[in-house]
Amino acid sequence: QSVLTQPPSASGTPGQRVTISCSGSDSNIGTNYVYWYQHLPGTAPKLLIYRDDQRPSGVPDRFSGSKSGTSASLAISGLRSEDEADYYCAGWDDSLSGFYVFGTGTKVTVL
Amino acid sequence: QVHLVQSGAEVKKPGASVKVSCKASGYTFNTDGINWVRQAPGQGLEWMGFISTKKDTIRYAQKFQGRVTMTKDTSISTAYMELRSLRSDDTAVYYCARDGKGFDYWGQGTLVTVSS
């Protein structure tokens, strides 16, 4: 059971803005960076956001990350059909000698 | 260009062991560590552990302690993950991922099926 909680699903029509939340605690989001990954079935996950709000080169600026306290969010603006995928927040947790944890995952559907 | 290429699919019987390899290219192997992540059917991503490629640091998720061993061979830029005492619920796709600014490059995944 993950210590990072996400809504199981989110949806929007093309062009809309969708936001995914990630709720954690002081030992993970409250202390360490948050990362976001996109995972399409049958492919390897892809890093979308690192260090809370940074985009790797090649990731469209439609994707943005933010963090406040022990919660983080991923926003997808100008939703496109190819954005339909599973999205995971992730980061290090300082409890239990430290471990990396993925969120529970959110399935984004483009209606 | 950075590439992580994993070994091929495996079918194992319960109680057996599996060793998955992850060969890196396109960057200096001993600058960034390698993480191992798995996804069981219908489940989310699960971190298994990390091995540093420049120090002796290895960190395993508590769930896999005692059953997993991560190693590396820097001479051939390859990391390995061995999982022992396999059970049916170890059936999953196993990924290696470079520990850059986040898990920035991933292998293609290796399907491990545990079935009698």
Side-chain angles (χ1 to χ4, degrees):
Chain A
Q1 190 143 353
S2 177
V3 297
L4 299 182
T5 303
Q6 300 177 232
S9 63
S11 63
T13 57
Q16 277 191 328
R17 176 184 171 95
V18 168
T19 301
I20 301 167
S21 62
C22 176
S23 177
S25 65
D26 290 337
S27 63
N28 42 67
I29 294 178
T31 306
N32 299 306
Y33 289 124
V34 177
Y35 302 82
W36 290 91
Y37 299 88
Q38 178 190 59
H39 193 199
L40 283 78
T43 70
K46 174 185 177 181
L47 177 66
L48 283 182
I49 298 289
Y50 67 96
R51 295 182 185 174
D52 297 342
D53 57 10
Q54 302 298 301
R55 272 187 311 277
S57 61
V59 173
D61 60 7
R62 302 186 296 105
F63 295 92
S64 61
S66 63
K67 185 174 86 172
S68 178
T70 58
S71 294
S73 294
L74 174 72
I76 310 172
S77 59
L79 195 64
R80 303 175 68 159
S81 58
E82 58 260 40
D83 298 334
E84 187 160 294
D86 295 319
Y87 293 83
Y88 295 87
C89 60
W92 288 96
D93 190 298
D94 289 343
S95 60
L96 298 175
S97 304
F99 61 96
Y100 197 85
V101 61
F102 288 94
T104 50
T106 298
K107 169 68 176 178
V108 169
T109 301
V110 181
L111 302 170
Chain B
Q1 189 155 357
V2 175
H3 285 292
L4 299 177
V5 179
Q6 300 181 220
S7 49
E10 304 261 14
V11 179
K12 296 292 183 181
K13 294 194 182 302
S17 300
V18 69
K19 190 170 186 177
V20 180
S21 66
C22 172
K23 182 170 178 59
S25 62
Y27 73 102
T28 303
F29 183 67
N30 61 355
T31 56
D32 298 298
I34 295 290
N35 290 273
W36 289 90
V37 176
R38 77 177 188 180
Q39 184 180 41
Q43 304 298 308
L45 300 175
E46 181 175 35
W47 179 76
M48 299 181 68
F50 161 85
I51 180 167
S52 171
T53 53
K54 55 187 171 184
K55 302 181 211 177
D56 292 331
T57 303
I58 302 175
R59 190 171 291 174
Y60 300 135
Q62 191 173 41
K63 174 177 179 177
F64 300 101
Q65 286 274 5
R67 214 161 60 93
V68 69
T69 301
M70 294 177 187
T71 56
K72 65 192 176 189
D73 185 339
T74 54
S75 69
I76 56 172
S77 301
T78 300
Y80 303 90
M81 185 283 300
E82 181 181 32
L83 188 62
R84 300 176 294 279
S85 302
L86 290 169
R87 307 184 288 254
S88 58
D89 61 0
D90 291 317
T91 294
V93 177
Y94 290 77
Y95 296 99
C96 60
R98 190 180 81 161
D99 195 61
K101 293 178 181 177
F103 296 4
D104 54 1
Y105 290 92
W106 295 66
Q108 82 276 20
T110 297
L111 174 62
V112 175
T113 302
V114 183
S115 174
S116 55

